[in-house]
Amino acid sequence: MDLDALRFADFSKLSTAVADWTAMATKLWELESDARRDLGGKAAKADWAGVNATVTREFIGKTAKEFADAATEATSIGNILRDTHGELVDYKTRLNEAVSRALEKNLTVVGTGDGGFTVTMNIHPDRAAKGHTVPGHTEADATAFRDEVQRILQGATDSDSTAAQALTMLVSQTPYGFSDAAYYDRDRAADAMKDADRITKLLKAKGDDMSPEEFDKLNVDLAKYKDDRLFQEKLATTLGPRGLLDFWADLADPSDGGTLQRSRHDQFGDFQRNLSLTLAGATQSDSPAMRTWENDMVKLGEERIQTRGSQVYGYQVMSNLMRSGDWDNRFLNDYGNALVATEKKMKLPANFWNGGVPPVPKMNFIGEDFGRDPMTGFMTGLAASPHAATEFFNTTQPTDNAQYVLGDRRTFDDTPLSSKDGNSAREATGAALVSAATGVNPNDPTARPSDLTPEHRQVLDRSLKYLSERGDDFPSEMRDDMAKILSTHSDVVHHSASSLADDNNDPRLLDRHQLLEVSKQISRDQDSYGMLNEAMNREMIKDVHADHPSDPKENLLRAGATVGFLEEARYQALKTDKDDPSWDAKWLYHGFGGAANFIPVVGDAAQRGVDALAYQWQLDEQARINAETTRQNGETFTARERQLQALADEWAEVNPGDGNNRYVLTSEINGAAFDGNQKAQGLAGAQ
C-alpha cells in the first residue's frame, strides 16, 4: 500500500459499494424466500408429466437454488467489502495519528514514489524561523516512527490484497452463475487463504517427513476447513495435481520407515477423509484454475508415480482420495471415462494394479481394502453424486461403461487379510449403480427418495441387461443393490411381472426375461429377497388403493400374477443353491431398515393394508422355510395362501359391492398367481 494512497485516500466510493451490496443482498434474500416458497414449493407439489417432469421441473429447481446462491454471494461480497472498508479507514486514521505525533518531535514521513517511504526531519534546525526552536528527537524516535508506519502500511496492504484475492476467487468460482461459498467477514476469508498457503508449503517442503506434531496440526486444519471453498481451491491449485499424487504416494509407502508410519498410522484414515473432503469441495469451483487442475489430474492417471520404494499409477493414488465428499459431476465422469478406457487397454487390469517393484502394500486407510484397485475409490465417490452416477452408467462412448463395469470387468482380491469378505470394487460399484438408477446416495442415511426420470429408467434397463447376462455369475455383492433398485422402480416391476405378454408398444414394460433372472439372483440372499418382496407387497397394495383401471379386478389379478412371478424367482434361486443354501435355517428378515429410502410410499389407508399383508406374508415364509424346494402342484399356492388371501381381502375392502364373494376372490387371485408362475416358468425355460 503506497503511503500517500493511504494517507489521503477517499473511501467514500468503497462505503457506497458496501451499502449497495448490503442492500442487494437483502433484496436477493427476499427473492430467495419467494423462489423457495412459491416457485420451488409449487414445483415440488405439482403433478408433473412428460417432458415437464424432467426438463421444466429440474429447471425450476435449479433456478430457485440460483437465487439462494446469488444471495449468498452478494452477502459474502458485502461482508468482505464492509470489513475491508472498516480496516482501511482504521489504518488511515492510525497513520495520520502517527504522523501527527511524529510532528511533535519534528519528524515526518515522505513517499519515495516507488511504494517506499523515508522518515526525515520536518524542519531542519538551520532553517527554523528566527527565534523559533524546533522540537528535538532521538535516533530511537525516528526508528520507532519508521517501524510504526511500516506496520500500518503492511497491515493495510494485507487487508487490501487479501480482500482482492478473496473477491477474485469468490467470483471466479462460478463464471456463469453464483457461488454458494459463504463468508461473514474478511478475516475468515483471509485466514483461509493464508492457511492454505502455509499447508501447501509444508506439504511441498517436508511431505511425509513432517513431524507428528505438524501432521496433527495439518489434520485439524483440514477438518476445520472442510466446508471452506476458498481454502479448498487455494490448497488444491497451489499444491497442484502432481504435488498431491507425490505426497500421498510417499505417505502411504512405508519403505522409508518414516516417523509418521510408526506414530500416526492409526490417524491416516481420518486424514484421508479430511483431505478427500477438501479436494471434493475444490472441484465444485468452475474457475479456470480448477478446470485446469481437473484436466491435468485425469491426464496423470496413467502415469507412474515413483515413491522411495515402489511405483504406483496416478489412478491408484487419486481414487483413494475420492472416497469422501461431494465431487464435481463433470470431473467424476471425465475421470471415470478415462479410467475405464485405460483398463480396457490394459486387458487384465489386475496385473497392472498389483504391479510395482514391489507394490505399495496399502494406499487406502478407510475400510479393509488396500486401495490397489482404483475402481473402488472412484465408485465410492461416484455413489455420492447421483447425477454423475446416472450419466456414467448411461455413457456408451467412447466405452459402454455399464457393460464394462457390470459385465466385462475382471476384479481381484484387494483385501488379502480377510478371506470371508466380498469384493470391495463390486460393493462400491453396486452402491454407485443404486445411486445412478434411483437418484439416492445409498451411503447417506439422511437422503430422501428422488423423483425418477427417464435417465434413471435407462440405467435400470441397462443394468438388467448386463447383470442378467451373467446368470449365476451375478455378483453376490450386488444382490442387495439390485433389490434396492427394483424396489425403487416397483411400479414398472409390478407392471412387468404381472404382464400377460411382451408388448413393444408398452413403455412401462421391462424385459421380463431379464427381470426374472435378476429377481432370481436377488432371491439367493435372504435379506435382498425380503426387501424385494416387501417392496412389491407395498406396490400391490398401493395399486389396489390408487390405480383405477377400467375393470377394478385388473388390480386383483395383477397382484396374483406378480406373486406367482416372484415365487418362480424364489424357486429358481433355491434350486440353484440347494446344495449350499445361503439362507439361515429360519426366517430372520426384519424389514427394510437402512433401505427405507427405496420403498414405495403409500398413504395412511393403504399402509394399514401393507401392515396386514406383511404379517401374513411373513407367516407364509416362516411356515415354509424348511420345506423342500420342489414346486407346488395344483392351481393353489399353499406356500402363498395367507399372502394371497390378504391381498383379496384388501381388494374387497377397497371395492365394496355385490359379487365380492371372499371364496371367489380368493380363487381368482390364486388362479392369477398360478398363471403368473406358469408364465415365469416359460420365461425361465425348461427346468
Side-chain angles (χ1 to χ4, degrees):
M1 176 71 72
D2 182 77
L3 173 73
D4 290 337
L6 179 61
R7 190 176 180 185
F8 303 109
D10 179 5
F11 293 120
S12 61
K13 291 184 178 180
L14 182 56
S15 178
T16 300
V18 172
D20 289 345
W21 277 103
T22 301
M24 180 182 293
T26 300
K27 183 61 178 177
L28 284 171
W29 282 118
E30 293 174 357
L31 292 173
E32 185 277 336
S33 179
D34 292 341
R36 173 170 41 82
R37 184 180 60 250
D38 296 335
L39 189 65
K42 291 177 180 177
K45 296 177 181 178
D47 185 14
W48 299 92
V51 175
N52 283 331
T54 53
V55 179
T56 307
R57 185 172 194 170
E58 183 177 0
F59 171 77
I60 291 176
K62 289 181 177 179
T63 301
K65 184 180 182 301
E66 279 287 291
F67 279 104
D69 290 344
T72 299
E73 184 168 322
T75 300
S76 297
I77 292 173
N79 290 339
I80 293 172
L81 290 176
R82 183 188 63 248
D83 285 1
T84 304
H85 173 268
E87 290 173 0
L88 291 177
V89 168
D90 180 61
Y91 283 124
K92 176 184 177 181
T93 301
R94 288 165 56 187
L95 176 61
N96 287 322
E97 288 175 349
V99 170
S100 296
R101 290 194 303 271
L103 287 175
E104 296 175 358
K105 296 182 178 181
N106 195 33
L107 290 172
T108 192
V109 61
V110 178
T112 58
D114 57 358
F117 67 90
T118 184
V119 171
T120 184
M121 287 186 291
N122 184 42
I123 301 175
H124 195 279
D126 295 341
R127 300 191 188 95
K130 187 175 182 179
H132 180 74
T133 302
V134 298
H137 62 266
T138 65
E139 185 175 344
D141 291 332
T143 300
F145 178 44
R146 180 202 65 194
D147 292 346
E148 182 178 11
V149 171
Q150 183 61 52
R151 286 194 301 272
I152 292 171
L153 291 178
Q154 185 60 54
T157 299
D158 289 344
S159 179
D160 183 59
S161 62
T162 55
Q165 186 180 19
L167 290 170
T168 300
M169 289 187 67
L170 192 65
V171 174
S172 67
Q173 282 201 332
T174 51
Y176 302 107
F178 303 96
S179 172
D180 61 356
Y183 289 93
Y184 300 100
D185 53 60
R186 187 206 63 86
D187 288 344
R188 186 173 301 185
D191 289 344
M193 289 182 292
K194 289 178 182 177
D195 284 344
D197 277 331
R198 172 179 57 80
I199 290 172
T200 302
K201 290 177 182 177
L202 172 66
L203 295 179
K204 286 184 174 181
K206 293 188 175 182
D208 65 336
D209 288 330
M210 72 180 78
S211 68
E213 292 73 25
E214 288 173 322
F215 176 84
D216 293 341
K217 179 67 166 60
L218 171 60
N219 210 3
V220 169
D221 285 338
L222 290 181
K224 171 184 175 182
Y225 288 114
K226 65 180 181 180
D227 296 319
D228 193 300
R229 291 285 188 259
L230 297 192
F231 171 87
Q232 293 163 343
E233 179 176 352
K234 183 71 172 177
L235 179 68
T237 54
T238 306
L239 182 59
R242 186 56 190 251
L244 173 70
L245 298 181
D246 285 338
F247 166 73
W248 189 258
D250 280 333
L251 180 70
D253 184 4
S255 62
D256 64 338
T259 302
L260 293 183
Q261 279 280 352
R262 296 193 306 272
S263 64
R264 293 296 184 270
H265 192 273
D266 290 344
Q267 282 78 54
F268 278 11
D270 286 338
F271 179 60
Q272 184 179 350
R273 289 187 189 89
N274 290 331
L275 184 55
S276 180
L277 288 168
T278 298
L279 298 171
T283 65
Q284 295 300 327
S285 170
D286 287 330
S287 69
M290 275 309 302
R291 285 295 182 100
T292 300
W293 186 96
E294 293 170 7
N295 293 336
D296 289 346
M297 182 60 78
V298 172
K299 294 176 184 177
L300 286 171
E302 291 190 42
E303 292 197 19
R304 289 179 178 267
I305 308 299
Q306 181 67 51
T307 68
R308 293 179 179 87
S310 185
Q311 287 184 339
V312 295
Y313 284 96
Y315 283 125
Q316 291 178 291
V317 179
M318 187 59 205
S319 288
N320 283 303
L321 297 177
M322 298 174 71
R323 294 176 182 246
S324 298
D326 180 13
W327 292 79
D328 174 65
N329 293 350
R330 185 186 66 86
F331 173 67
L332 283 171
N333 275 280
D334 288 349
Y335 183 93
N337 293 340
L339 174 58
V340 168
T342 297
E343 288 202 348
K344 294 272 285 184
K345 288 189 297 184
M346 288 177 172
K347 298 187 185 302
L348 291 174
N351 294 354
F352 288 81
W353 302 142
N354 278 318
V357 194
V360 173
K362 189 175 177 66
M363 286 174 280
N364 170 52
F365 305 93
I366 303 172
E368 298 298 322
D369 66 285
F370 279 23
R372 295 180 187 175
D373 189 340
M375 197 62 75
T376 306
F378 165 67
M379 286 293 177
T380 301
L382 188 65
S385 298
H387 287 294
T390 301
E391 181 179 347
F392 176 84
F393 279 94
N394 281 335
T395 293
T396 58
Q397 295 295 330
T399 301
D400 189 322
N401 291 338
Q403 180 179 11
Y404 178 70
V405 299
L406 300 179
D408 300 339
R409 188 173 193 267
R410 300 174 66 175
T411 57
F412 61 96
D413 184 10
D414 201 17
T415 54
L417 299 183
S418 175
S419 61
K420 297 181 179 180
D421 59 340
N423 183 274
S424 53
R426 288 176 178 160
E427 293 279 10
T429 301
L433 179 61
V434 171
S435 183
T438 69
V440 177
N441 174 9
N443 298 321
D444 180 4
T446 66
R448 301 268 54 88
S450 174
D451 293 324
L452 296 176
T453 67
E455 289 73 26
H456 294 140
R457 168 61 189 270
Q458 185 179 0
V459 175
L460 169 62
D461 288 334
R462 288 164 56 73
S463 62
L464 287 174
K465 171 179 170 55
Y466 296 124
L467 288 173
S468 65
E469 289 174 350
R470 300 189 67 163
D472 290 339
D473 288 331
F474 184 105
S476 60
E477 298 88 351
M478 296 186 187
R479 291 170 184 163
D480 61 328
D481 300 308
M482 283 307 297
K484 292 174 183 176
I485 291 171
L486 295 189
S487 296
T488 302
H489 290 267
S490 57
D491 173 56
V492 295
V493 172
H494 174 40
H495 178 76
S496 303
S498 61
S499 291
L500 299 176
D502 293 335
D503 183 355
N504 293 331
N505 296 318
D506 184 352
R508 295 175 65 196
L509 195 63
L510 300 168
D511 186 300
R512 296 184 301 149
H513 296 79
Q514 297 170 3
L515 177 61
L516 179 64
E517 179 61 35
V518 170
S519 298
K520 165 193 169 181
Q521 300 303 330
I522 289 173
S523 298
R524 296 175 69 183
D525 174 78
Q526 189 186 94
D527 282 340
S528 301
Y529 164 83
M531 188 190 308
L532 174 60
N533 277 268
E534 187 172 341
M536 299 317 300
N537 283 338
R538 288 171 175 264
E539 184 62 41
M540 289 184 287
I541 291 293
K542 187 176 76 170
D543 258 16
V544 168
H545 280 261
D547 193 34
H548 303 290
S550 57
D551 186 340
K553 277 199 174 179
E554 180 180 336
N555 291 329
L556 178 71
L557 300 181
R558 279 190 175 273
T562 291
V563 170
F565 184 95
L566 295 174
E567 185 70 7
E568 177 62 23
R570 182 200 70 88
Y571 167 75
Q572 294 295 330
L574 293 180
K575 183 180 178 183
T576 298
D577 293 327
K578 62 183 178 182
D579 295 328
D580 183 22
S582 61
W583 286 18
D584 295 329
K586 59 181 179 179
W587 182 243
L588 295 176
Y589 178 71
H590 296 299
F592 274 93
N597 292 337
F598 306 98
I599 62 174
V601 178
V602 299
D604 292 339
Q607 184 61 49
R608 291 192 295 272
V610 168
D611 294 339
L613 179 58
Y615 176 70
Q616 297 300 332
W617 165 63
Q618 294 216 25
L619 288 179
D620 283 340
E621 295 295 343
Q622 291 165 359
R624 66 129 180 245
I625 195 66
N626 293 320
E628 294 184 12
T629 60
T630 54
R631 191 188 309 278
Q632 297 290 332
N633 294 319
E635 295 191 1
T636 59
F637 270 54
T638 57
R640 291 291 195 187
E641 60 185 12
R642 295 181 181 86
Q643 180 186 12
L644 293 170
Q645 183 68 71
L647 283 166
D649 290 344
E650 187 69 18
W651 186 92
E653 182 177 337
V654 174
N655 298 278
D658 294 336
N660 285 359
N661 180 280
R662 192 180 193 224
Y663 180 90
V664 173
L665 292 177
T666 303
S667 176
E668 288 177 335
I669 195 172
N670 272 273
F674 178 75
D675 288 344
N677 185 252
Q678 291 287 89
K679 286 184 172 60
Q681 289 180 45
L683 294 172
Q687 301 301 320

